[in-house]
């Protein structure tokens, strides 16, 4: 949002620097409107107040002047306008403007996604949905990005854009002091190799916007009005009847044109001094602009004409341009560019006390529901694809099913917006995102029935798994049977979440993309030893006396072991806290304790820096968040559970925080014993409190941390000291994984949603799990952007401890398995026993099935056909989109980091017979053989090797590659 750029902009109001060369500076004026899909106002409010008018008036105005241009960035608003507002005449005009390149779609995703807390799966989804719509509707494929507003830049984003066929990437929000240095050294432009494994194969030219960011400079020396925004400021809830908006700029007249020209030219020259070529990108627009485009263009036209008529005097020429025209000019300059490696631009700071690291943890509930919806979508997509291929004429109506899936695709896409999943939006917008997600999830669940007695358990992964599932039930006694009527190992106990329900744990064996049916029999009465219920172990807890914090002096005297085949955990009866974990394979003990700490935030802007939705700025070090701890241990035959309750005051009746640790017992070697599952309960918090789970260990990590970029790759985060705000600037986003290590051991956490994470002391790993903040900043109050989040949150982390080599083999798969746990679906009528199970689909252990779905777009995969011939309006149900990712980095593991060759016909035979296989770009719009990305010159002059086509159905996937295919299966004859 615009106000948040001000600290970055205002610091640098330098005197204009003259450009030294004799050639005039060529200025590319790029008209745009930054339209947040959410943030302060709901999507419906924005459409009504201004967004629909942007596209209506821009379409009309571009048609009046051949020189005029406009870039359309967030597709959700454009698609809504196209589907619900645009007339036939508008649509005809748009098609012509797109064909002429005067209306250009940039990024092309549903939203401009956040880069810190979004997951790889969801970034790809929202781009794929937008690109599919644009290709189907106009036959165009976006090739440039405009990532001007995400709060920091990840190194995964440029890799994904390169894989999607982009030629250049544009970012803006990076640390103010770093941007300052890059401007002075003229290295705001570089070639970025975002992946250390893919290197130059997926490099991309990247342009960093200067200190003025994406908005036109708003200060006019000769007027109190904002500069260059002749249509003024958007009004909510309704546009004014008379068309007069607040703060409309002075019109360009004979009297004002020279003053306007001087202001614009000075700004252009100031920018030009920071870049290596004679070309200046001059963004014209800002938040919610161009809803009255005629006023905008009718003032800018004569101003630009005046500058060009006096270009010798000014040393500047100006022209309306699309983003592709600007990048084309840079590309043709034929310069040699510096290379940037895989380091990212996180975290982001706008000034010494403004570290934007709070949003990594804001609105924990929304972050959790968004990931849950994404996982449900993945499972539903793979199930529907299997069903369609096996039963093309089955009873489930394909149009109805696709509508349900598409609603969830769009809800998951929408919340990836940089003021969505970040938690930086107003409460009503957060409610809107949640409502769209929950409604769409319920729609997908309509594919399933609702009776409690039978369930189908489905494994959405293309790996064989043995795991424990937990079903919440209302009876204290239960027996579980598989689809052959055989009893299944199970355990039942009082629920950790409620006194009136029970947790039923079941061991399930599932092949890849396979489901199994289970039936339950329940009873209120305990059963005799030989009954059907006796196979289910009834676990009972042992409660330990509440312990005060001050008893800390006497620790380690009474240690209680809880073991499985991988670990021995020792709990201290003097404190009721974890004392140490031994990983048994190497007989190595690590001292370790876990508890909760609070950062207290300042809520008064007059007394110092504040924390808010975006910013983390603690008053001081964290303080212990409890005075006493209670512990209950429930030994089991399938899982042993340790419940720790943390009380704010020693005699409080209700606990403030809890940790529930589940230690799996092993069944032979099938069940993974190294996964310690922890679920936490936090809230409601006290106001202006930010709560962390602190895991303190004996590891000598020197405060160096590793965290993931978007669940795709790990980044090393050495601790850095700053003059101010060192604590907050050493927080990083954890989307799926974080770890600390020394020479001997590594402690890994994998997560079911995004959090902030830091290592503030040697051996420490702290995860910010929840925030509740209020402050009196006028801006926050005016737009209701305070974070008075009184919810109770229940996130989950899985913990692994072991040697570096052992954990390297495990953590990527663990993160994926946490993301895609088996889906439990209650069903109405179980099918007759003995019906043949579906065949499994199994990939090698270092490959993961990222996508298997029926996109349904009706475009032709041959671009020429698409442009020259009409399209049928029916969705294409025969085209299946398949994506496979190699989970490992180059050199990470001696075996698992090797390239893998598989035959897709063989791998997918459990689904059907593969008839046609064609490789595509990441979002499916390019045939990979026709994709020729621009080759930018770099200092090391490394050439990208052209990809050789794989033979037939055999493909080789290298470390960190994501490969995308369209597949057609042979029709089944019944």
């Amino acid at each position: 949002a615009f106000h948040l750029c001000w600290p970055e902009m205002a610091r640098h109001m330098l005197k204009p620097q003259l450009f030294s060369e004799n050639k005039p500076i060529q200025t590319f004026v790029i008209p745009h409107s930054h339209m947040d899909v959410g943030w302060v106002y709901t999507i419906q409010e924005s459409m009504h107040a201004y967004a629909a008018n942007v596209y209506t008036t821009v379409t009309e105005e571009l048609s009046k002047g051949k020189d005029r241009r406009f870039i359309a960035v967030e597709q959700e608003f454009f698609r809504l306008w196209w589907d619900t507002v645009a007339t036939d005449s508008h649509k005809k005009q748009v098609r012509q403007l797109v064909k002429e390149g005067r209306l250009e779609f940039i990024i092309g995703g549903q939203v401009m996604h956040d880069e810190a807390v979004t997951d790889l799966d969801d970034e790809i989804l929202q781009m794929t949905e937008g690109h599919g719509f644009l290709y189907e509707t106009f036959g165009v494929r976006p090739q440039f990005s405009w990532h001007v507003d995400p709060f920091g830049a990840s190194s995964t984003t440029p890799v994904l854009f390169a894989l999607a066929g982009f030629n250049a990437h544009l970012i803006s929000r990076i640390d103010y002091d770093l941007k300052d240095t890059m401007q002075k050294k003229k290295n705001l432009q570089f070639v970025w190799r975002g992946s250390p494994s893919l290197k130059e194969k997926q490099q991309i030219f990247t342009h960093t916007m200067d200190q003025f960011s994406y908005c036109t400079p708003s200060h006019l020396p000769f007027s109190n009005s904002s500069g260059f925004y002749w249509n003024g400021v958007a009004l909510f809830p309704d546009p004014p009847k008379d068309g007069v908006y607040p703060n409309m700029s002075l019109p360009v007249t004979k009297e004002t044109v020279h003053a306007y020209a001087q202001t614009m030219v000075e700004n252009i020259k100031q920018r030009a001094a920071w870049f290596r070529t004679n070309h200046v990108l001059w963004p014209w627009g800002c938040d919610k602009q161009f809803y009255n485009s005629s006023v905008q263009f009718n003032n800018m036209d004569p101003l630009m004409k005046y500058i060009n008529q006096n270009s010798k005097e000014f040393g500047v020429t100006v022209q309306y341009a699309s983003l592709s025209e600007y990048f084309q000019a840079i590309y043709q300059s034929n310069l040699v560019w510096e290379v940037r490696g895989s380091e990212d631009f996180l975290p982001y700071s706008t000034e010494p006390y403004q570290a934007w690291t709070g949003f990594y943890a804001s609105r924990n509930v929304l972050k959790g529901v968004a990931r849950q919806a994404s996982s449900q979508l993945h499972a539903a997509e793979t199930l529907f694809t299997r069903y369609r291929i096996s039963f093309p004429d089955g009873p489930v109506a394909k149009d109805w099913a696709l509508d349900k899936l598409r609603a969830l695709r769009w809800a998951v896409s929408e919340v990836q917006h940089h003021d969505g999943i970040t938690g930086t939006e107003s409460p009503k917008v957060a409610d809107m995102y949640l409502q769209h997600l929950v409604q769409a999830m319920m729609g997908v669940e309509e594919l399933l029935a609702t009776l409690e007695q039978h369930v189908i358990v489905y494994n959405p992964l293309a790996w064989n798994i043995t795991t424990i599932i937990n079903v919440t039930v209302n009876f204290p006694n239960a027996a579980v049977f598989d689809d052959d009527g055989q009893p299944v190992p199970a355990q039942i106990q009082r629920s950790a979440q409620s006194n009136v329900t029970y947790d039923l744990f079941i061991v399930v064996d599932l092949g890849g993309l396979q489901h199994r049916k289970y039936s339950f029999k329940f009873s209120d009465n305990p059963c005799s030893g030989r009954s059907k219920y006796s196979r289910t172990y009834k676990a009972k807890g042992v409660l330990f006396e509440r312990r005060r914090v001050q008893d800390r002096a006497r620790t380690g005297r009474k240690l209680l072991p809880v073991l499985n085949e991988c670990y021995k955990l020792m709990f201290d009866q003097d404190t009721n806290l974890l004392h140490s974990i031994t990983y048994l394979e190497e007989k190595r003990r690590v001292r370790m304790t876990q508890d909760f700490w609070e950062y207290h935030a300042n809520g008064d802007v007059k007394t110092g820096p504040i924390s808010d939705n975006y910013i983390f700025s603690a008053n001081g070090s964290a303080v212990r968040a409890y005075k006493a701890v209670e512990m209950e241990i429930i030994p089991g035959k399938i899982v042993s559970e340790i419940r720790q309750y943390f009380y704010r005051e020693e005699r409080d009746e209700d606990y403030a925080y809890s940790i529930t640790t589940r230690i799996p017992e092993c069944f032979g070697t099938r069940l993974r014993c190294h996964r310690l599952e922890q679920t936490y309960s936090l809230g409601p918090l006290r106001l202006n409190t930010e709560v962390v789970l602190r895991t303190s260990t004996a590891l000598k990590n020197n405060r160096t941390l590793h965290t993931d970029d978007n669940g795709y790759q790990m980044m090393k985060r050495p601790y850095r000291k700053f003059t101010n705000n060192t604590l907050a600037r050493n927080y990083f986003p954890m989307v799926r994984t974080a770890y600390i290590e020394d020479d001997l051991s590594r402690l890994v956490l994998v997560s079911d949603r995004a959090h902030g994470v830091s290592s503030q002391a040697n051996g420490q790993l702290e995860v910010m799990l929840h925030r509740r903040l209020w402050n009196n900043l006028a801006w926050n109050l005016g737009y209701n952007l305070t974070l008075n989040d009184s919810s109770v949150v229940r996130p989950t982390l899985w913990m692994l401890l072991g040697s570096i080599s052992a954990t390297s083999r495990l953590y990527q798969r663990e993160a994926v398995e946490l993301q895609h746990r088996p889906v439990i679906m209650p069903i109405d009528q179980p099918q007759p026993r003995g019906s043949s199970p579906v065949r499994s689909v199994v990939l090698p252990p270092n490959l993961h099935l990222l996508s298997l779905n029926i996109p349904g777009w009706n475009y032709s995969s041959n671009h020429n056909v698409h442009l020259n011939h009409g399209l049928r309006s029916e969705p294409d149900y025969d085209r299946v989109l398949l994506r496979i990712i190699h989970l490992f980095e180059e050199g990470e593991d001696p075996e698992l980091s090797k390239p893998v060759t598989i035959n897709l016909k063989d791998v997918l035979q459990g689904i059907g017979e593969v008839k046609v296989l064609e490789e595509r770009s990441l979002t499916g719009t390019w045939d990979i053989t026709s994709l020729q990305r621009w080759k930018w010159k770099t200092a090391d002059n490394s050439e990208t090797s052209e990809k050789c086509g794989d033979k037939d159905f055999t493909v080789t996937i290298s470390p960190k590659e994501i490969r995308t295919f369209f597949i057609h299966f042979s029709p089944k004859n019944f």
Side-chain angles (χ1 to χ4, degrees):
F2 178 44
H3 85 286
L4 299 162
C5 302
W6 265 110
E8 188 176 325
M9 289 168 60
R11 292 181 70 252
H12 292 285
M13 291 300 181
L14 307 173
K15 289 179 181 170
Q17 294 166 290
L18 292 175
F19 205 69
S20 57
E21 294 188 22
N22 296 327
K23 278 194 318 192
I25 299 163
Q26 189 181 2
T27 311
F28 294 78
V29 174
I30 300 184
H32 77 100
S33 181
H34 185 69
M35 300 194 272
D36 289 307
V37 181
W39 191 39
V40 175
Y41 302 103
T42 65
I43 287 161
Q44 292 73 19
E45 286 173 328
S46 294
M47 278 296 287
H48 176 72
Y50 80 94
N53 284 343
V54 171
Y55 288 115
T56 300
T57 67
V58 162
T59 300
E60 290 164 358
E61 289 306 309
L62 292 189
S63 300
K64 291 176 186 172
K66 285 287 182 195
D67 293 338
R68 294 172 173 180
R69 304 279 191 277
F70 192 80
I71 62 168
V73 183
E74 293 87 354
Q75 290 320 308
E76 179 150 350
F77 284 130
F78 179 84
R79 180 176 47 76
L80 283 170
W81 175 78
W82 184 261
D83 288 345
T84 63
V85 178
T87 62
D88 288 345
S89 167
H90 287 138
K91 288 184 177 182
K92 192 177 172 186
Q93 285 174 311
V94 167
R95 289 189 191 282
Q96 186 58 35
L97 292 167
V98 170
K99 199 172 172 183
E100 293 170 9
R102 299 202 293 116
L103 175 62
E104 183 172 59
F105 294 106
I106 301 296
I107 310 177
Q110 296 281 79
V111 296
M112 185 189 298
H113 67 75
D114 171 64
E115 299 194 40
V117 298
T118 41
D119 187 88
L120 172 83
D121 297 21
D122 306 322
E123 293 178 355
I124 295 172
L125 169 75
Q126 71 87 20
M127 276 170 60
T128 303
E129 285 304 294
H131 286 193
F133 164 75
L134 289 175
Y135 199 35
E136 177 178 282
T137 313
F138 304 109
V140 297
R141 301 173 283 202
Q143 292 171 51
F144 304 96
S145 88
W146 180 264
H147 256 230
V148 295
D149 205 28
F151 321 133
S154 109
S155 57
T156 299
T157 304
V159 176
L160 297 184
F161 287 162
L163 287 164
F166 283 24
N167 285 316
H169 176 38
L170 184 149
I171 61 175
S172 183
R173 288 183 181 266
I174 66 171
D175 267 0
Y176 69 95
D177 42 5
L178 177 61
K179 185 175 278 196
D180 210 5
T181 305
M182 288 167 75
Q183 279 183 179
K184 285 172 184 159
K185 292 183 175 176
K186 294 194 180 189
N187 58 10
L188 289 167
Q189 295 172 321
F190 49 86
V191 169
W192 199 350
R193 292 181 186 154
S195 160
S197 293
L198 300 177
K199 302 182 188 70
E200 69 278 357
K201 281 197 291 189
Q202 300 300 343
Q203 68 185 24
I204 194 166
F205 179 82
T206 303
H207 171 101
T208 313
M209 284 193 152
D210 56 50
Q211 68 196 29
F212 294 102
S213 191
Y214 63 86
C215 289
T216 312
S218 57
H219 173 67
L220 290 178
F222 54 90
S223 162
N224 290 332
S225 298
S226 288
F228 309 97
Y229 304 135
W230 292 280
N231 56 195
V233 176
L235 276 184
F236 288 80
D238 295 305
K241 299 278 186 290
D242 59 2
V244 177
Y245 287 82
N247 207 25
M248 292 172 79
S249 290
L250 285 176
V252 175
T253 62
K254 282 179 183 170
E255 290 72 33
T256 62
V257 69
H258 186 74
Y260 264 117
Q262 274 189 314
T263 304
M264 187 170 173
V265 165
E266 283 177 6
N267 183 260
I268 288 165
K269 288 180 174 175
Q270 187 177 348
R271 291 170 185 261
W274 298 323
F275 292 93
R276 291 177 59 201
T277 75
N278 242 26
H279 312 99
V280 168
L281 187 164
W282 204 78
W284 176 35
C286 195
D287 291 23
K288 307 177 191 66
Q289 282 293 320
F290 282 88
Y291 47 82
N292 185 349
S293 297
S294 74
V295 179
Q296 290 282 78
F297 283 112
N298 288 338
N299 280 282
M300 188 58 103
D301 286 353
L303 172 57
M304 287 171 59
K305 187 179 176 186
Y306 180 83
I307 292 172
N308 286 336
Q309 282 170 343
N310 297 281
S311 62
K312 280 212 169 99
E313 178 196 331
F314 286 128
V316 162
T317 64
V318 289
Q319 67 191 70
Y320 288 124
S322 61
L323 189 59
S324 62
E325 288 171 312
Y326 170 72
F327 278 126
Q328 188 82 46
I330 300 296
Y331 183 60
Q332 286 167 352
S333 70
N334 222 17
L335 291 182
V336 175
W337 299 99
E338 279 187 21
V339 170
R340 183 181 179 87
S342 58
E343 65 270 25
D344 60 12
F345 293 95
L346 289 164
Y348 165 61
S349 288
T350 46
E351 58 182 54
Y353 284 101
Q354 293 206 330
W356 293 41
T357 56
F359 77 90
Y360 302 158
S362 296
R363 297 205 192 282
N364 184 282
V365 170
L366 178 63
K367 285 175 165 69
V369 174
R371 282 277 276 282
Q372 195 186 334
S374 171
S375 301
Q376 188 201 45
L377 175 64
H378 179 270
E381 297 274 27
T382 54
L383 262 175
F384 178 61
T385 303
R386 289 205 76 154
Y387 177 85
R388 271 288 307 154
I389 293 160
S390 300
F391 308 107
D393 302 313
V396 176
K398 58 190 181 187
D399 290 348
W400 175 81
L402 185 63
D403 283 348
K404 298 290 180 197
L405 289 170
R406 191 163 272 169
L408 188 50
R409 287 173 192 169
W410 289 355
V412 172
S413 294
E414 168 188 282
V415 77
Q416 307 311 318
H417 173 61
H418 57 268
D419 282 303
I421 197 162
T422 51
T424 54
E425 66 279 359
S426 66
K428 69 178 173 185
V429 173
D431 291 345
M432 174 202 75
Y433 289 128
L434 281 168
Q435 185 189 357
H436 290 179
L437 287 164
V438 170
Q439 277 179 344
M441 288 166 82
M442 286 165 63
V444 166
E445 281 164 11
E446 283 179 45
L447 299 167
L448 317 168
T450 54
L451 200 70
E452 199 178 59
Q453 262 62 11
H454 303 276
V455 298
I456 284 180
V457 181
Y458 173 63
N459 170 20
L461 294 165
W463 300 325
N464 296 334
I465 62 166
T466 300
T467 191
I468 297 166
I469 61 166
N470 177 16
V471 182
T472 303
V473 298
N474 296 322
F475 295 91
N477 300 288
V480 184
F481 303 91
D482 66 17
D483 41 13
D484 293 323
Q486 296 301 311
V488 174
Q491 173 179 323
I492 196 164
Q493 63 200 44
R494 185 177 53 78
S495 171
Q497 301 295 352
S498 145
N499 288 328
V500 294
T501 59
Y502 299 85
D503 289 330
L504 177 61
F505 298 103
I506 309 160
V507 178
V508 296
D509 276 305
L510 292 162
L513 301 190
Q514 213 174 39
H515 62 264
R516 293 189 69 174
K517 291 179 276 299
Y518 295 88
S519 57
F520 301 154
K521 296 200 168 32
F522 296 116
S523 164
D524 273 322
N525 305 314
C527 309
S528 65
R530 301 194 60 185
S531 79
K532 61 193 172 204
Y533 298 101
S534 62
R535 285 297 296 268
T536 302
Y537 179 75
K538 285 197 73 174
K540 290 194 167 52
V542 181
L543 193 62
F544 292 80
E545 191 181 326
R546 193 179 295 193
R547 295 292 185 188
R548 291 179 304 166
V549 169
Q550 49 261 52
D551 290 349
R552 278 292 170 85
R554 307 195 310 273
T555 61
R557 299 173 310 154
K558 294 184 287 182
L559 298 179
L560 195 70
V562 183
L563 318 93
N564 67 6
E565 285 182 25
C566 290
Y567 300 117
K568 177 163 77 172
L569 285 79
M570 301 297 267
F571 288 87
D572 190 335
Q573 291 181 64
D574 287 325
T575 62
N576 286 334
L577 296 175
L578 178 65
H579 174 272
S580 63
I581 300 181
T582 304
Y583 53 100
L584 299 173
E585 193 180 345
E586 302 198 15
K587 299 186 173 57
R588 187 165 289 132
R589 188 186 79 151
V590 177
R591 280 294 306 267
M592 186 185 304
T593 186
Q594 286 186 307
D595 56 0
F596 294 100
W597 293 69
E598 292 175 348
Y599 288 102
H600 293 156
N602 165 39
D604 184 357
V605 292
K606 293 193 181 99
T607 61
I610 53 154
S611 277
D612 65 8
N613 290 27
Y614 305 86
I615 292 162
F616 172 41
S617 181
N619 264 355
S621 301
V623 295
R624 192 173 281 113
Y626 60 95
K627 297 273 180 67
V629 187
E630 213 167 73
M631 178 168 69
E632 183 180 12
I633 295 183
I634 305 169
K637 290 192 173 174
I638 286 177
V639 67
S640 291
E641 197 168 88
I642 298 95
R643 300 174 183 174
Q644 292 162 294
Y645 304 102
F646 296 77
Y647 294 86
R648 277 202 187 98
E649 300 298 334
E650 191 186 336
R651 302 190 187 284
D652 279 1
E653 201 171 316
D654 298 320
Y655 59 87
Y657 309 111
S658 74
I659 304 176
T660 302
T661 305
R662 289 179 180 149
I663 302 168
E665 300 301 323
C666 298
F667 284 78
T669 54
R670 294 175 308 154
L671 191 65
R672 296 196 157 182
C673 61
H674 55 255
R675 177 190 299 161
L676 300 171
E677 178 176 319
Q678 294 195 318
T679 303
Y680 315 91
S681 173
L682 306 94
L685 304 186
R686 289 173 172 168
L687 208 53
N688 287 333
T689 301
E690 312 183 56
V691 179
V692 298
L693 169 78
R694 183 176 281 178
T695 304
S696 303
T697 75
L699 298 186
K700 296 176 176 63
N701 73 317
N702 193 28
R703 297 192 285 192
T704 295
L705 175 69
H706 291 76
T707 71
D708 66 319
D709 251 20
N710 310 108
Y712 176 64
Q713 55 194 355
M714 297 304 293
M715 311 297 291
K716 187 176 182 178
R717 312 289 195 187
Y719 187 86
R720 297 183 299 161
K721 286 196 166 74
F722 298 91
T723 312
N724 303 300
N725 218 13
T726 291
L727 192 158
R729 288 185 82 170
N730 279 289
Y731 252 84
F732 297 91
M734 167 198 192
V735 176
R736 289 189 192 175
T737 313
Y739 62 76
I740 57 171
E741 64 186 19
D742 60 16
D743 293 343
L744 298 174
S745 310
R746 179 188 283 168
L747 172 73
V748 184
L749 297 179
V750 298
S751 170
D752 71 339
R753 68 197 70 183
H755 303 288
V757 63
S758 190
S759 180
Q760 294 285 342
N762 203 12
Q764 227 177 61
L765 183 56
E766 66 178 44
V767 183
M768 191 179 286
L769 294 176
H770 200 14
R771 319 175 72 219
R772 184 181 183 186
L773 302 161
W774 187 93
N775 63 73
N776 59 0
L777 184 65
W779 175 267
N780 286 346
L781 295 176
Y783 286 110
N784 197 6
L785 285 173
T786 56
L787 188 68
N788 191 2
D789 183 350
S790 58
S791 55
V792 176
V793 304
R794 294 193 170 91
T796 294
L797 296 173
W798 288 355
M799 181 162 63
L800 294 85
L801 179 68
S803 66
I804 289 173
S805 60
T807 52
S808 290
R809 290 194 295 276
L810 292 170
Y811 75 84
Q812 293 94 333
R813 283 177 62 101
E814 288 296 304
V816 170
E817 287 193 29
L818 175 53
Q819 183 96 337
H820 299 296
R821 285 172 279 189
V823 177
I824 302 165
M825 302 177 285
I827 52 167
D828 217 345
Q829 301 262 311
Q831 290 172 0
R833 279 190 197 142
S835 59
S836 59
V838 294
R839 293 169 70 186
S840 61
V841 175
V842 182
L843 287 170
N846 43 7
L847 299 185
H848 164 48
L849 183 70
L850 206 56
S851 313
L852 180 73
N853 63 43
I854 295 169
W857 311 308
N858 58 22
Y859 64 70
S860 166
S861 55
N862 180 330
H863 187 57
N864 295 328
V865 171
H866 187 68
L867 289 180
N868 300 328
H869 299 276
L871 294 165
R872 64 184 196 281
S873 57
E874 270 295 293
D876 185 346
Y877 286 97
D878 297 324
R879 176 193 291 142
V880 173
L881 175 74
L882 169 81
R883 281 192 198 95
I884 296 176
I885 183 172
H886 194 304
L887 291 174
F888 285 77
E889 292 283 2
E890 218 174 56
E892 191 170 18
D893 182 86
E895 282 305 309
L896 295 169
S897 289
K898 290 177 178 171
V900 193
T901 301
I902 54 172
N903 184 305
L904 286 174
K905 193 164 187 147
D906 293 346
V907 167
L908 299 172
Q909 64 183 356
I911 297 176
E913 189 192 346
V914 176
K915 185 175 65 174
V916 179
L917 176 74
E918 55 175 310
E919 185 161 5
R920 309 293 295 181
S921 61
L922 183 70
T923 59
T925 53
W926 290 89
D927 183 320
I928 211 77
T929 56
S930 66
L931 178 56
Q932 299 288 322
R933 292 174 60 233
W934 295 353
K935 291 184 170 63
W936 296 81
K937 288 186 175 175
T938 55
D940 64 359
N941 212 11
S942 55
E943 280 293 311
T944 311
S945 54
E946 288 301 318
K947 191 164 196 56
C948 301
D950 293 296
K951 289 180 184 168
D952 303 328
F953 299 100
T954 302
V955 297
T956 298
I957 303 174
S958 299
K960 283 296 165 194
E961 266 197 325
I962 302 172
R963 295 191 59 185
T964 305
F965 304 91
F966 283 162
I967 293 180
H968 287 79
F969 288 87
S970 296
K972 294 205 171 178
N973 301 313
F974 292 96

